[in-house]
Amino acid sequence: MKKLLKVENLCVSFRTYLGQVKAVRDISFSVGYGETLAIVGESGCGKSVTAQSIMRLIPTPPGNIDSGKILFEDSDLLAKSRTQMEGIRGKEIGMIFQDPMTSLNPTMRVGKQIMEGLIKHRGLSKPEARAQAIQLLNLVGMSDPEKRVDQYPHEFSGGMRQRVVIAIALACRPKLLIADEPTTALDVTIQAQILELMKSIQQKTETSIILITHDLGVVAGICDRVLVMYGGEIVESGTVDQIYKNPRHPYTQGLLRSVPRLDMDKQKELIPIYGTPPNLLNPPTGCSFCPRCASAMRICQSTPPPKEHIDEQHEVACWQNNR
């Protein structure tokens, strides 16, 4: 599959009064045209920092992209000027942020917020942009879009606001859509509607999607491939079937064991992952998951495990698979 995005050896850190936090540590991955890639892991593992790095939204200072390349259609985004990135954000790469209420300007009508990108990037007149905004609200399943286009964010429910954020992200028909926890604050019914909406839009527009989430149920329903992150690193990657049916990293196995299943005995308790994530002010010299791993060996404490190919597209960083 031809690659739309390639991230190579990306390292991102943040300077704090306690020292340098190494939030993302030498990660590499790619996204194909029309593909949906999930990035999963617990809070603080580097998922959102990775997304913000692609968009060049890391606040500098205190943040800094220390090294690596982010190639979008073979052009390095890290070499772009601020003005050039403004021309890419929204037009070529769209982003759905985690909290729709803080993503929208409470003092502006939602129609005007959708129209901004259309006017700036596509050169539409205000009447044309308004008509397109109404079409976009209709596309994302908003009822009575002619009325809604003139309303303010506080007049919408959480699910409706998320639909507006998706409409803004899709306004300029970007080639890549980054969705950072798009269903976190929504109830289960609305979550299902939003996910179905994203799948439907992708089929219509052939947009590539990076879905950042900690919800493995969401991943199973919408994604093609999965990256599992822990301690700022990618510990396992593969297709959805490979990750769910044959997880090889102890952390991935732990995540799957902690998710309730419909076929699970009601009396059976979920198995948590004991312990806490590593302190990225002083990352472990060996495997980051070693202190929480029941299968840890002596080599895990001192030496980072190399990446091992288990199958085509299936890769894992664990000494258990290198014995």
Side-chain angles (χ1 to χ4, degrees), residues 90 94-97 100 103-104 114 136-137 139-142 158-174 177-183 186 190-191 193-199 201-202 209 222:
M95 188 162 183
I96 302 170
F97 292 94
S103 303
L104 296 171
I114 299 171
L136 284 162
L137 289 175
L139 174 67
V140 298
M142 188 75 71
M160 293 166 68
R161 285 195 291 266
Q162 192 64 286
R163 291 172 188 269
V164 172
V165 172
I166 293 173
I168 293 172
L170 293 172
C172 296
R173 301 169 190 166
L177 178 64
I178 301 174
D180 187 1
E181 302 275 10
T183 61
L186 307 177
I190 302 301
Q191 279 188 26
Q193 292 176 1
I194 294 296
L195 293 173
E196 190 60 38
L197 170 64
M198 290 176 63
K199 287 173 64 177
I201 289 171
Q202 185 182 41
I209 298 176
I222 192 175

Side-chain angles (χ1 to χ4, degrees), residues 84-139:
Q84 288 173 321
M85 281 305 301
E86 288 177 357
I88 292 172
R89 294 189 201 108
K91 182 180 181 182
E92 302 289 339
I93 306 175
M95 188 162 183
I96 302 170
F97 292 94
Q98 191 165 356
D99 183 355
M101 196 56 201
T102 57
S103 303
L104 296 171
N105 188 329
T107 67
M108 289 174 60
R109 302 179 194 274
V110 297
K112 186 174 182 181
Q113 296 186 58
I114 299 171
M115 290 164 58
E116 280 185 323
L118 295 167
I119 294 170
K120 178 178 180 179
H121 295 301
R122 293 177 56 185
L124 300 185
S125 65
K126 286 187 177 180
E128 291 172 333
R130 178 184 167 82
Q132 187 66 39
I134 292 172
Q135 289 183 22
L136 284 162
L137 289 175
N138 186 59
L139 174 67

Side-chain angles (χ1 to χ4, degrees), residues 262-284:
L262 292 175
D263 59 354
M264 181 183 290
D265 187 342
K266 292 182 181 179
Q267 303 301 319
K268 189 175 180 180
E269 294 185 2
L270 295 175
I271 303 173
I273 302 175
Y274 294 101
T276 57
N279 180 1
L280 296 182
L281 279 166
N282 185 25

Side-chain angles (χ1 to χ4, degrees), residues 183-217:
T183 61
T184 296
L186 307 177
D187 62 58
V188 176
T189 304
I190 302 301
Q191 279 188 26
Q193 292 176 1
I194 294 296
L195 293 173
E196 190 60 38
L197 170 64
M198 290 176 63
K199 287 173 64 177
S200 173
I201 289 171
Q202 185 182 41
Q203 291 170 358
K204 293 176 183 176
T205 62
E206 297 184 350
T207 301
S208 299
I209 298 176
I210 296 177
L211 176 64
I212 296 169
T213 183
H214 61 267
D215 190 333
L216 294 174

